[in-house]
Tab-separated table of all heavy atoms in Angstrom:
chain	number	residue	atom	x	y	z
A	1	VAL	N	130.661	110.405	121.887
A	1	VAL	CA	131.799	109.624	122.387
A	1	VAL	C	131.869	108.273	121.680
A	1	VAL	O	132.929	107.845	121.216
A	1	VAL	CB	131.699	109.423	123.916
A	1	VAL	CG1	132.678	108.354	124.384
A	1	VAL	CG2	131.956	110.732	124.638
A	2	LEU	N	130.722	107.590	121.608
A	2	LEU	CA	130.692	106.291	120.938
A	2	LEU	C	131.117	106.414	119.482
A	2	LEU	O	131.877	105.588	118.969
A	2	LEU	CB	129.282	105.687	121.022
A	2	LEU	CG	128.744	105.388	122.426
A	2	LEU	CD1	127.308	104.869	122.336
A	2	LEU	CD2	129.623	104.387	123.159
A	3	LEU	N	130.638	107.468	118.832
A	3	LEU	CA	130.967	107.692	117.426
A	3	LEU	C	132.464	107.944	117.255
A	3	LEU	O	133.099	107.403	116.344
A	3	LEU	CB	130.160	108.883	116.899
A	3	LEU	CG	130.212	109.168	115.398
A	3	LEU	CD1	129.638	107.992	114.610
A	3	LEU	CD2	129.451	110.438	115.079
A	4	SER	N	133.034	108.754	118.124
A	4	SER	CA	134.458	109.088	118.010
A	4	SER	C	135.361	107.881	118.258
A	4	SER	O	136.454	107.798	117.701
A	4	SER	CB	134.819	110.214	118.986
A	4	SER	OG	134.753	109.761	120.333
A	5	LEU	N	134.891	106.959	119.093
A	5	LEU	CA	135.692	105.759	119.394
A	5	LEU	C	135.310	104.569	118.519
A	5	LEU	O	135.946	103.515	118.607
A	5	LEU	CB	135.535	105.380	120.875
A	5	LEU	CG	136.032	106.404	121.901
A	5	LEU	CD1	135.753	105.926	123.318
A	5	LEU	CD2	137.526	106.678	121.726
A	6	GLY	N	134.247	104.724	117.705
A	6	GLY	CA	133.813	103.631	116.837
A	6	GLY	C	133.219	102.467	117.602
A	6	GLY	O	133.438	101.301	117.258
A	7	LEU	N	132.418	102.774	118.641
A	7	LEU	CA	131.842	101.739	119.500
A	7	LEU	C	130.322	101.718	119.388
A	7	LEU	O	129.703	102.742	119.100
A	7	LEU	CB	132.226	101.985	120.964
A	7	LEU	CG	133.706	102.135	121.282
A	7	LEU	CD1	133.888	102.570	122.737
A	7	LEU	CD2	134.455	100.824	121.018
A	8	GLY	N	129.720	100.567	119.637
A	8	GLY	CA	128.276	100.475	119.779
A	8	GLY	C	127.916	100.567	121.252
A	8	GLY	O	128.654	100.077	122.102
A	9	GLY	N	126.793	101.211	121.573
A	9	GLY	CA	126.427	101.329	122.979
A	9	GLY	C	125.070	101.964	123.164
A	9	GLY	O	124.367	102.253	122.199
A	10	ARG	N	124.707	102.198	124.434
A	10	ARG	CA	123.391	102.727	124.760
A	10	ARG	C	123.469	103.702	125.935
A	10	ARG	O	124.429	103.699	126.709
A	10	ARG	CB	122.429	101.598	125.163
A	10	ARG	CG	121.879	100.762	124.039
A	10	ARG	CD	120.942	99.705	124.601
A	10	ARG	NE	120.393	98.850	123.561
A	10	ARG	CZ	119.209	99.039	122.981
A	10	ARG	NH1	118.462	100.054	123.328
A	10	ARG	NH2	118.773	98.215	122.048
A	11	ILE	N	122.402	104.486	126.068
A	11	ILE	CA	122.152	105.278	127.270
A	11	ILE	C	120.697	105.035	127.650
A	11	ILE	O	119.825	104.959	126.787
A	11	ILE	CB	122.441	106.778	127.038
A	11	ILE	CG1	122.160	107.583	128.315
A	11	ILE	CG2	121.644	107.330	125.855
A	11	ILE	CD1	122.656	109.030	128.230
A	12	LEU	N	120.446	104.877	128.933
A	12	LEU	CA	119.104	104.546	129.415
A	12	LEU	C	118.737	105.494	130.552
A	12	LEU	O	119.484	105.622	131.524
A	12	LEU	CB	119.083	103.097	129.910
A	12	LEU	CG	117.747	102.470	130.289
A	12	LEU	CD1	116.791	102.438	129.114
A	12	LEU	CD2	117.972	101.051	130.811
A	13	HIS	N	117.588	106.165	130.441
A	13	HIS	CA	117.202	107.193	131.411
A	13	HIS	C	116.223	106.676	132.465
A	13	HIS	O	115.403	105.811	132.194
A	13	HIS	CB	116.563	108.372	130.683
A	13	HIS	CG	117.527	109.150	129.861
A	13	HIS	ND1	118.458	109.984	130.408
A	13	HIS	CD2	117.714	109.213	128.515
A	13	HIS	CE1	119.167	110.539	129.448
A	13	HIS	NE2	118.744	110.082	128.284
A	14	PHE	N	116.292	107.319	133.657
A	14	PHE	CA	115.400	106.957	134.760
A	14	PHE	C	114.693	108.160	135.369
A	14	PHE	O	113.686	108.005	136.047
A	14	PHE	CB	116.168	106.233	135.864
A	14	PHE	CG	116.881	105.019	135.371
A	14	PHE	CD1	118.225	105.082	135.027
A	14	PHE	CD2	116.208	103.825	135.189
A	14	PHE	CE1	118.881	103.968	134.536
A	14	PHE	CE2	116.862	102.717	134.688
A	14	PHE	CZ	118.202	102.782	134.360
A	15	SER	N	115.233	109.346	135.168
A	15	SER	CA	114.649	110.541	135.780
A	15	SER	C	113.446	111.012	134.982
A	15	SER	O	113.284	110.677	133.821
A	15	SER	CB	115.687	111.661	135.871
A	15	SER	OG	116.754	111.254	136.696
A	16	SER	N	112.617	111.831	135.618
A	16	SER	CA	111.413	112.306	134.937
A	16	SER	C	111.024	113.689	135.440
A	16	SER	O	111.436	114.129	136.508
A	16	SER	CB	110.248	111.339	135.166
A	16	SER	OG	109.860	111.345	136.521
A	17	SER	N	110.221	114.367	134.634
A	17	SER	CA	109.585	115.614	135.029
A	17	SER	C	108.379	115.773	134.118
A	17	SER	O	108.232	115.035	133.142
A	17	SER	CB	110.554	116.801	134.879
A	17	SER	OG	110.588	117.246	133.539
A	18	PRO	N	107.494	116.734	134.372
A	18	PRO	CA	106.292	116.880	133.522
A	18	PRO	C	106.606	117.132	132.049
A	18	PRO	O	105.750	116.944	131.196
A	18	PRO	CB	105.578	118.091	134.144
A	18	PRO	CG	106.015	118.076	135.570
A	18	PRO	CD	107.441	117.611	135.540
A	19	ASP	N	107.842	117.559	131.741
A	19	ASP	CA	108.184	117.909	130.362
A	19	ASP	C	109.108	116.908	129.694
A	19	ASP	O	109.764	117.213	128.706
A	19	ASP	CB	108.848	119.290	130.346
A	19	ASP	CG	107.941	120.357	130.931
A	19	ASP	OD1	106.791	120.453	130.469
A	19	ASP	OD2	108.386	121.065	131.837
A	20	THR	N	109.185	115.681	130.223
A	20	THR	CA	110.110	114.708	129.643
A	20	THR	C	109.405	113.432	129.243
A	20	THR	O	108.258	113.175	129.597
A	20	THR	CB	111.226	114.355	130.657
A	20	THR	OG1	110.623	113.780	131.814
A	20	THR	CG2	112.011	115.587	131.069
A	21	TYR	N	110.139	112.588	128.524
A	21	TYR	CA	109.613	111.322	128.031
A	21	TYR	C	109.024	110.462	129.150
A	21	TYR	O	107.945	109.899	129.027
A	21	TYR	CB	110.734	110.508	127.370
A	21	TYR	CG	111.399	111.174	126.217
A	21	TYR	CD1	112.641	111.780	126.366
A	21	TYR	CD2	110.813	111.182	124.950
A	21	TYR	CE1	113.275	112.389	125.289
A	21	TYR	CE2	111.436	111.788	123.880
A	21	TYR	CZ	112.669	112.389	124.051
A	21	TYR	OH	113.292	112.979	122.997
A	22	LEU	N	109.760	110.352	130.229
A	22	LEU	CA	109.377	109.388	131.259
A	22	LEU	C	108.107	109.790	131.985
A	22	LEU	O	107.470	108.964	132.609
A	22	LEU	CB	110.521	109.199	132.259
A	22	LEU	CG	111.808	108.616	131.661
A	22	LEU	CD1	112.805	108.315	132.761
A	22	LEU	CD2	111.524	107.360	130.863
A	23	HIS	N	107.748	111.060	131.911
A	23	HIS	CA	106.483	111.470	132.521
A	23	HIS	C	105.321	110.753	131.820
A	23	HIS	O	104.271	110.537	132.404
A	23	HIS	CB	106.313	112.989	132.423
A	23	HIS	CG	105.062	113.486	133.070
A	23	HIS	ND1	104.889	113.475	134.440
A	23	HIS	CD2	103.895	113.964	132.561
A	23	HIS	CE1	103.698	113.950	134.742
A	23	HIS	NE2	103.071	114.256	133.616
A	24	ASN	N	105.509	110.396	130.569
A	24	ASN	CA	104.489	109.666	129.818
A	24	ASN	C	104.621	108.151	130.005
A	24	ASN	O	104.069	107.371	129.236
A	24	ASN	CB	104.592	110.013	128.327
A	24	ASN	CG	104.318	111.477	128.077
A	24	ASN	OD1	103.428	112.043	128.690
A	24	ASN	ND2	105.096	112.094	127.205
A	25	HIS	N	105.399	107.772	131.012
A	25	HIS	CA	105.550	106.359	131.382
A	25	HIS	C	106.138	105.531	130.244
A	25	HIS	O	105.756	104.399	129.993
A	25	HIS	CB	104.207	105.758	131.838
A	25	HIS	CG	103.589	106.530	132.954
A	25	HIS	ND1	102.257	106.452	133.254
A	25	HIS	CD2	104.113	107.414	133.831
A	25	HIS	CE1	101.998	107.247	134.274
A	25	HIS	NE2	103.107	107.828	134.635
A	26	GLU	N	107.077	106.113	129.546
A	26	GLU	CA	107.763	105.385	128.484
A	26	GLU	C	109.257	105.542	128.684
A	26	GLU	O	109.781	106.641	128.675
A	26	GLU	CB	107.358	105.944	127.110
A	26	GLU	CG	107.953	105.160	125.959
A	26	GLU	CD	107.473	105.705	124.630
A	26	GLU	OE1	107.930	106.782	124.241
A	26	GLU	OE2	106.631	105.054	124.001
A	27	GLY	N	109.936	104.434	128.904
A	27	GLY	CA	111.377	104.497	129.066
A	27	GLY	C	112.022	104.888	127.751
A	27	GLY	O	111.540	104.527	126.690
A	28	LEU	N	113.096	105.632	127.816
A	28	LEU	CA	113.798	106.034	126.603
A	28	LEU	C	115.165	105.378	126.583
A	28	LEU	O	115.993	105.606	127.449
A	28	LEU	CB	113.958	107.549	126.546
A	28	LEU	CG	114.645	108.065	125.291
A	28	LEU	CD1	113.727	107.879	124.093
A	28	LEU	CD2	115.010	109.526	125.444
A	29	SER	N	115.388	104.538	125.595
A	29	SER	CA	116.691	103.924	125.409
A	29	SER	C	117.229	104.397	124.067
A	29	SER	O	116.549	104.293	123.048
A	29	SER	CB	116.573	102.401	125.409
A	29	SER	OG	117.826	101.819	125.096
A	30	ILE	N	118.420	104.942	124.050
A	30	ILE	CA	119.012	105.462	122.826
A	30	ILE	C	120.295	104.705	122.534
A	30	ILE	O	121.127	104.496	123.412
A	30	ILE	CB	119.277	106.960	122.948
A	30	ILE	CG1	117.950	107.686	123.131
A	30	ILE	CG2	120.000	107.494	121.737
A	30	ILE	CD1	118.051	109.159	123.221
A	31	ARG	N	120.424	104.299	121.283
A	31	ARG	CA	121.511	103.406	120.920
A	31	ARG	C	122.309	103.969	119.748
A	31	ARG	O	121.748	104.561	118.835
A	31	ARG	CB	120.950	102.044	120.527
A	31	ARG	CG	121.986	101.058	120.000
A	31	ARG	CD	121.322	99.731	119.663
A	31	ARG	NE	122.286	98.770	119.192
A	31	ARG	CZ	123.125	98.094	119.946
A	31	ARG	NH1	123.120	98.297	121.241
A	31	ARG	NH2	123.978	97.232	119.454
A	32	TYR	N	123.620	103.779	119.814
A	32	TYR	CA	124.443	104.014	118.641
A	32	TYR	C	124.992	102.668	118.191
A	32	TYR	O	125.612	101.943	118.961
A	32	TYR	CB	125.615	104.962	118.944
A	32	TYR	CG	126.633	104.960	117.825
A	32	TYR	CD1	126.298	105.510	116.592
A	32	TYR	CD2	127.877	104.377	117.978
A	32	TYR	CE1	127.199	105.479	115.543
A	32	TYR	CE2	128.789	104.342	116.942
A	32	TYR	CZ	128.443	104.907	115.723
A	32	TYR	OH	129.339	104.866	114.689
A	33	ASP	N	124.736	102.337	116.946
A	33	ASP	CA	125.238	101.088	116.369
A	33	ASP	C	126.308	101.451	115.356
A	33	ASP	O	126.042	102.160	114.384
A	33	ASP	CB	124.087	100.321	115.693
A	33	ASP	CG	124.514	98.924	115.262
A	33	ASP	OD1	125.713	98.742	114.961
A	33	ASP	OD2	123.646	98.043	115.222
A	34	LYS	N	127.540	100.991	115.596
A	34	LYS	CA	128.639	101.409	114.715
A	34	LYS	C	128.487	100.871	113.294
A	34	LYS	O	129.187	101.311	112.386
A	34	LYS	CB	129.983	100.980	115.297
A	34	LYS	CG	130.226	99.484	115.362
A	34	LYS	CD	131.614	99.213	115.922
A	34	LYS	CE	131.907	97.726	115.983
A	34	LYS	NZ	133.267	97.461	116.493
A	35	SER	N	127.564	99.907	113.095
A	35	SER	CA	127.330	99.406	111.742
A	35	SER	C	126.475	100.385	110.927
A	35	SER	O	126.371	100.282	109.713
A	35	SER	CB	126.636	98.045	111.794
A	35	SER	OG	125.329	98.170	112.327
A	36	LEU	N	125.846	101.360	111.634
A	36	LEU	CA	125.045	102.377	110.965
A	36	LEU	C	125.879	103.639	110.760
A	36	LEU	O	126.796	103.912	111.541
A	36	LEU	CB	123.808	102.711	111.806
A	36	LEU	CG	122.869	101.540	112.116
A	36	LEU	CD1	121.786	102.009	113.075
A	36	LEU	CD2	122.239	100.991	110.851
A	37	LYS	N	125.571	104.388	109.746
A	37	LYS	CA	126.333	105.603	109.477
A	37	LYS	C	125.973	106.716	110.458
A	37	LYS	O	126.796	107.575	110.762
A	37	LYS	CB	126.079	106.070	108.043
A	37	LYS	CG	126.688	105.155	106.986
A	37	LYS	CD	126.483	105.727	105.592
A	37	LYS	CE	127.114	104.818	104.542
A	37	LYS	NZ	126.929	105.348	103.160
A	38	ASN	N	124.745	106.723	110.909
A	38	ASN	CA	124.283	107.797	111.777
A	38	ASN	C	123.844	107.263	113.136
A	38	ASN	O	123.657	106.059	113.317
A	38	ASN	CB	123.110	108.545	111.128
A	38	ASN	CG	123.488	109.147	109.798
A	38	ASN	OD1	124.526	109.799	109.693
A	38	ASN	ND2	122.666	108.930	108.792
A	39	LYS	N	123.675	108.183	114.053
A	39	LYS	CA	123.120	107.810	115.354
A	39	LYS	C	121.697	107.314	115.166
A	39	LYS	O	120.959	107.813	114.339
A	39	LYS	CB	123.122	109.022	116.290
A	39	LYS	CG	124.496	109.585	116.574
A	39	LYS	CD	124.367	110.917	117.269
A	39	LYS	CE	125.717	111.612	117.345
A	39	LYS	NZ	125.591	112.960	117.906
A	40	HIS	N	121.335	106.333	115.948
A	40	HIS	CA	120.008	105.735	115.803
A	40	HIS	C	119.271	105.865	117.124
A	40	HIS	O	119.704	105.342	118.146
A	40	HIS	CB	120.151	104.255	115.422
A	40	HIS	CG	118.839	103.523	115.370
A	40	HIS	ND1	117.817	103.886	114.538
A	40	HIS	CD2	118.402	102.451	116.071
A	40	HIS	CE1	116.791	103.056	114.720
A	40	HIS	NE2	117.119	102.186	115.649
A	41	ARG	N	118.152	106.573	117.096
A	41	ARG	CA	117.353	106.754	118.310
A	41	ARG	C	116.163	105.815	118.278
A	41	ARG	O	115.530	105.631	117.252
A	41	ARG	CB	116.853	108.195	118.417
A	41	ARG	CG	117.956	109.230	118.424
A	41	ARG	CD	117.358	110.628	118.420
A	41	ARG	NE	118.397	111.631	118.278
A	41	ARG	CZ	119.089	112.139	119.279
A	41	ARG	NH1	118.852	111.734	120.508
A	41	ARG	NH2	120.011	113.048	119.077
A	42	GLU	N	115.866	105.249	119.393
A	42	GLU	CA	114.690	104.378	119.456
A	42	GLU	C	114.050	104.483	120.826
A	42	GLU	O	114.732	104.595	121.843
A	42	GLU	CB	115.073	102.927	119.161
A	42	GLU	CG	116.039	102.320	120.164
A	42	GLU	CD	116.446	100.908	119.788
A	42	GLU	OE1	116.346	100.565	118.602
A	42	GLU	OE2	116.866	100.173	120.698
A	43	LYS	N	112.732	104.471	120.828
A	43	LYS	CA	112.005	104.411	122.092
A	43	LYS	C	111.631	102.965	122.334
A	43	LYS	O	111.154	102.282	121.441
A	43	LYS	CB	110.743	105.273	122.031
A	43	LYS	CG	111.015	106.763	121.983
A	43	LYS	CD	109.721	107.537	121.963
A	43	LYS	CE	109.990	109.038	121.899
A	43	LYS	NZ	108.725	109.805	121.862
A	44	GLU	N	111.872	102.499	123.509
A	44	GLU	CA	111.507	101.119	123.800
A	44	GLU	C	110.580	101.077	125.011
A	44	GLU	O	110.824	101.724	126.021
A	44	GLU	CB	112.737	100.236	124.015
A	44	GLU	CG	113.551	100.557	125.244
A	44	GLU	CD	114.699	99.588	125.436
A	44	GLU	OE1	115.155	99.005	124.442
A	44	GLU	OE2	115.117	99.437	126.585
A	45	LYS	N	109.505	100.341	124.875
A	45	LYS	CA	108.563	100.193	125.981
A	45	LYS	C	109.189	99.306	127.053
A	45	LYS	O	109.768	98.261	126.756
A	45	LYS	CB	107.273	99.545	125.480
A	45	LYS	CG	106.469	100.422	124.523
A	45	LYS	CD	105.759	101.541	125.282
A	45	LYS	CE	104.845	102.320	124.358
A	45	LYS	NZ	104.125	103.387	125.086
A	46	ARG	N	109.063	99.739	128.264
A	46	ARG	CA	109.570	98.924	129.366
A	46	ARG	C	108.494	98.793	130.427
A	46	ARG	O	107.676	99.686	130.607
A	46	ARG	CB	110.815	99.567	129.984
A	46	ARG	CG	112.031	99.501	129.100
A	46	ARG	CD	113.214	100.086	129.818
A	46	ARG	NE	113.091	101.518	129.949
A	46	ARG	CZ	113.660	102.219	130.923
A	46	ARG	NH1	114.333	101.615	131.858
A	46	ARG	NH2	113.520	103.525	130.977
A	47	ARG	N	108.535	97.685	131.118
A	47	ARG	CA	107.554	97.473	132.178
A	47	ARG	C	107.835	98.432	133.323
A	47	ARG	O	108.971	98.641	133.720
A	47	ARG	CB	107.643	96.023	132.684
A	47	ARG	CG	106.604	95.680	133.724
A	47	ARG	CD	106.305	94.191	133.659
A	47	ARG	NE	107.497	93.394	133.848
A	47	ARG	CZ	107.923	92.963	135.035
A	47	ARG	NH1	107.224	93.248	136.110
A	47	ARG	NH2	108.986	92.220	135.152
């Protein structure tokens, strides 16, 4: 959606299960920066 509209933005997750990122106590924040040609994924440590 962000790519189609040419916008920068993020999605931030809170749910967890034994087979997901958050089970390892690491928040996952994923960002699209319209200045980049491709989607940019990043893991960010959160308290």
